[in-house]
Amino acid sequence: MTSASPHSPHDQHKHTHGEGCGHVSVPHEDHTDYAHDGHIHRTHDGHVDECVAPAHAVHEDHAHRHAEGCGHVSVPHGDHNDYIHDGHRHAAHQGHWDDH
């Protein structure tokens, strides 16, 4: 997976994300994401972006099934939940897991 994400500013985001801000933080490639109100945010050039994957990225050889009680942090993301696992977010997609 490449570190380039589409630039998608989250307009009128007044909250400052950082250590102790109260939102789940997730290391993601070269930055940290923050789960906030069903979105995944990242700070970028003085504003907040929606952190989205640049393309469909299947997480190969992922035998673990994420679900409530699986032991990984669940983060609401749009119309589904991502699960924090080994430094990235996994999301169920058409019978496999994607890296988000």
Side-chain angles (χ1 to χ4, degrees):
M1 184 172 181
T2 161
S3 62
S5 293
H7 187 238
S8 180
H10 187 74
D11 294 331
Q12 300 179 2
H13 185 77
K14 301 194 185 318
H15 176 76
T16 301
H17 291 295
E19 188 173 334
C21 75
H23 297 108
V24 173
S25 64
V26 183
H28 185 214
E29 297 175 357
D30 62 351
H31 63 276
T32 300
D33 291 336
Y34 293 89
H36 185 182
D37 294 338
H39 303 274
I40 305 298
H41 294 165
R42 69 175 286 196
T43 301
H44 173 75
D45 289 341
H47 62 273
V48 174
D49 284 347
E50 297 289 333
C51 189
V52 295
H56 182 228
V58 176
H59 186 85
E60 300 292 343
D61 301 323
H62 187 70
H64 176 76
R65 177 143 176 88
H66 294 293
E68 187 175 333
C70 74
H72 296 106
V73 174
S74 173
V75 178
H77 184 206
D79 64 353
H80 64 279
N81 283 339
D82 288 348
Y83 291 87
I84 311 308
H85 187 169
D86 293 338
H88 39 206
R89 296 177 289 133
H90 292 165
H93 179 248
Q94 297 181 345
H96 61 267
W97 294 98
D98 284 352
D99 274 326
H100 272 193

